[in-house]
Amino acid sequence: MDPTSMTKLLFANTLAPNKLTTIAFCLALTLASVVSVRAESPVTPPAESGLTSIFNGKDLTGWSGDDRLWSVRDGVIHGETTPENKANGNTFLIWEDGNTKNFEVRLSFRCNATNNSGIQYRSKHITDKSARNEWVVRGYQHELRNEMNFPNIAGFIYDEGGRRGRICMVGEKAAWKDGKKQVLENFMDEAEFQKLFQLDGWNEVVIIGKGNHIQHFLNGKLILDFTDEQPELKLLDGKLALQLHAGKPMWAEFKDIRFKSLD
């Protein structure tokens, strides 16, 4: 029976003074409300329009990174650390030709599971003595992982170099306000994510930032909706970059990188 029919039936039964029926009626209303909230959540990115490719598929023109670790192979950006060529701290391939104020970026990624990667946006290039290498950035990160089990999956927002850690998780509609995260809705669980994510394969990412509102989409479906209402911490502009994580040897690849300013 659908939630609406269940609600009507139980409403009729509440005419009898029966506590159990009343409880059931309340539960049915709650169920109907949850279904309604999930149905109203935006689920797909806007139709692609007006984006410009920012990777030429041949070389790293327009990007800056450690040339020991970053290259172009078979038309895709390939980042890799090895026991011989290690990352001295987290290091990034930084897009030099634009910023991410109000923006839309689309790309596809794949990586292995020995470590993790990320897509930085609205981030600051750090060049002072605190930087462990020449390509350090701090700011919002779209986490990239080749894993299937919550919480260590691709898609959540991580505060790279900041103090808030995992700012917003996959499946959350949330806001950061008054020094903490407030979850307004949970709209995706682990089983739904596992059906969506292509383990060991290419996955398409869409990131949209308008003012303090950010949305992440994966393979055509909304996975995260976040509003940053913390005045001293919210980020409204900055660099776009791709991450190689320090630690265990790893590789990550990126292709079809397109960008559009929404200003």
Side-chain angles (χ1 to χ4, degrees), residues 68-69 80-88 112 114 245 247-251:
R68 298 177 308 119
L69 308 177
E80 184 170 6
T81 62
T82 66
E84 296 75 29
N85 287 320
K86 300 178 180 179
N88 180 23
N112 62 350
T114 61
H245 204 286
K248 294 180 180 179
M250 65 164 297
W251 60 265

Side-chain angles (χ1 to χ4, degrees), residues 210-234:
K210 297 178 181 179
N212 66 340
H213 181 221
I214 295 165
Q215 292 179 309
H216 290 180
F217 299 83
L218 179 70
N219 295 330
K221 189 170 183 179
L222 181 75
I223 60 168
L224 175 154
D225 188 299
F226 176 66
T227 304
D228 201 338
E229 299 182 32
Q230 197 70 34
E232 74 279 16
L233 296 177
K234 67 181 179 182

